[in-house]
Amino acid sequence: MKVNPWRALVVLCVANFLVVLDTSIVNTAAPDIMASLGAGIDQILWVLNGYLLAFAALLIVFGRLGDIVGPRNLFVSGLAVFTAASILCGLSTRVGPLVAARVGQGLGAAMLVPQALVLIAGIFPPARRGMAFGMFTAVAGVAAVSGPTLGGLMVTDWGWQSIFFLNAPFGLLGIVFAFRFVPPLRRVPTTKPRFDVVGVLLASVGLTGVVYGLIEGGRHHWGAISGLFSIPLVFAASALLILLFVLWERRAPEPLVPLDLFRDRQYSIATVITLVLSFALYGFLLVFVLDTQTVLGMSPLMSGVSALPWTLVLSALAPVAGRLTDR
């Protein structure tokens, strides 16, 4: 199969655009969802964060699973799950099913995102990878910051359900084009691959606890939830599980996360920078939407338009930065 890497990159970028868009576009629709479904602020936070909870907790797991079953196979499966869950989100008439469908979206996103990075590294030669990753990052950044603009337009004209139905045609086309343009990369194992079940359980439960504590902490004033069950207890248990995960990974024959990666100074620094930037950007987006719509009284469309400068600057500079990296 002759591979055109740029066609494959377009497919990967479109899928990643949909995934990242759903971390920000729903923020714009939050007030309309609350009014339509009679939801409170606590419930709408789970509509927003149920997606992120599943996404964050399962990224590591599916990253490793892609090594075993092949990145394209898991990419296509993840895109199918994400698309189906998006349709269910749009069809939801109560908060509970909407939250469950959002968790399904997060599951699909966690399946496909790590595979996109692996596929780009495998398809492009070293001299072109910086440019490819720059374009991939630019598309993700544009999706993050264009969510308020696009969401405002769609919510104003077609209702909040439209932001979820938008994913359906692009998701289905992405599946078709992935089979046509994305090569089925697969490493040749020297031994039978093993799946680190203990590592999966420790990492998933530990990360779920951390994200749950951050989501629910403010509502419970960082104290008791019910009886002896409290936010500090959740954080303590999660920290213990993550510590056990690190200790287990040091002795696992085929670890879920090879800890030797963090001996590479550049890798460690890049990981920290990505953490800080993501924390700042995605945390700010919800506050921005609530401030512009609730405090300043903007319509969803005007709230989105006020975010346009981010989109323009990011889309212009990210590919340039990637090209400079190659040089």
Side-chain angles (χ1 to χ4, degrees):
M1 174 182 179
K2 186 177 180 180
V3 177
N4 184 323
W6 299 107
R7 289 180 179 177
L9 181 63
V10 170
V11 176
L12 301 177
C13 284
V14 169
N16 193 48
F17 183 91
L18 296 178
V19 167
V20 178
L21 183 68
D22 268 50
T23 65
S24 61
I25 195 172
V26 183
N27 293 336
T28 306
D32 284 73
I33 295 175
M34 292 172 67
S36 174
L37 302 184
I41 187 64
D42 295 333
Q43 292 173 306
I44 202 64
L45 282 176
W46 275 106
V47 172
L48 300 173
N49 292 318
Y51 174 81
L52 296 176
L53 180 64
F55 187 24
L58 296 173
L59 270 174
I60 296 175
V61 175
F62 286 116
R64 173 60 181 144
L65 190 60
D67 294 336
I68 297 175
V69 303
R72 191 185 72 171
N73 293 336
L74 205 56
F75 175 84
V76 171
S77 299
L79 190 54
V81 171
F82 181 83
T83 302
S86 297
I87 295 172
L88 292 177
C89 285
L91 295 175
S92 298
T93 56
R94 292 182 292 115
V95 176
L98 178 57
V99 172
R102 287 284 286 165
V103 171
Q105 279 190 304
L107 173 66
M111 293 171 69
L112 71 88
V113 168
Q115 318 316 320
L117 300 175
V118 173
L119 287 163
I120 291 174
I123 294 170
F124 283 87
R128 294 291 184 91
R129 282 178 194 158
M131 182 64 175
F133 278 117
M135 294 179 65
F136 187 79
T137 303
V139 169
V142 169
V145 298
S146 65
T149 307
L150 182 59
L153 177 63
M154 297 185 68
V155 170
T156 300
D157 291 341
W158 301 300
W160 64 265
Q161 294 90 345
S162 63
I163 65 173
F164 296 112
F165 290 138
L166 171 70
N167 296 331
F170 291 102
L172 293 173
L173 287 173
I175 293 172
V176 173
F177 287 129
F179 280 118
R180 183 172 180 180
F181 296 128
V182 179
L185 299 181
R186 187 87 177 259
R187 73 171 189 173
V188 180
T190 55
T191 59
K192 184 178 180 180
R194 300 178 183 178
F195 196 59
D196 183 8
V197 177
V198 175
V200 167
L201 293 175
L202 291 173
S204 300
V205 178
L207 290 173
T208 299
V210 171
V211 179
Y212 174 85
L214 292 173
I215 293 173
E216 290 290 294
R219 183 161 74 96
H220 296 286
H221 306 288
W222 307 101
I225 299 175
S226 177
L228 297 177
F229 185 56
S230 65
I231 295 296
L233 180 62
V234 170
F235 281 132
S238 300
L240 177 60
L241 289 172
I242 292 173
L243 176 61
L244 291 174
F245 170 73
V246 172
L247 295 175
W248 172 260
E249 293 299 281
R250 294 179 63 183
R251 54 176 291 183
E254 289 197 40
L256 191 65
V257 178
L259 299 181
D260 289 344
L261 286 173
F262 294 96
R263 293 181 181 177
D264 186 320
R265 182 171 175 271
Q266 293 185 12
Y267 176 84
S268 299
I269 291 175
T271 300
V272 172
I273 291 174
T274 302
L275 170 66
V276 173
L277 289 177
S278 299
F279 183 87
L281 176 61
Y282 295 120
F284 173 72
L285 288 173
L286 174 60
V287 178
F288 175 83
V289 169
L290 292 177
D291 183 61
T292 53
Q293 292 190 38
T294 305
V295 179
L296 300 181
M298 291 184 183
S299 67
L301 178 58
M302 288 308 301
S303 172
V305 169
S306 65
L308 270 178
W310 310 340
T311 309
L312 298 176
V313 173
L314 188 68
S315 58
L317 293 183
V320 176
R323 183 59 181 157
L324 291 175
T325 301
D326 289 333
R327 293 185 178 180

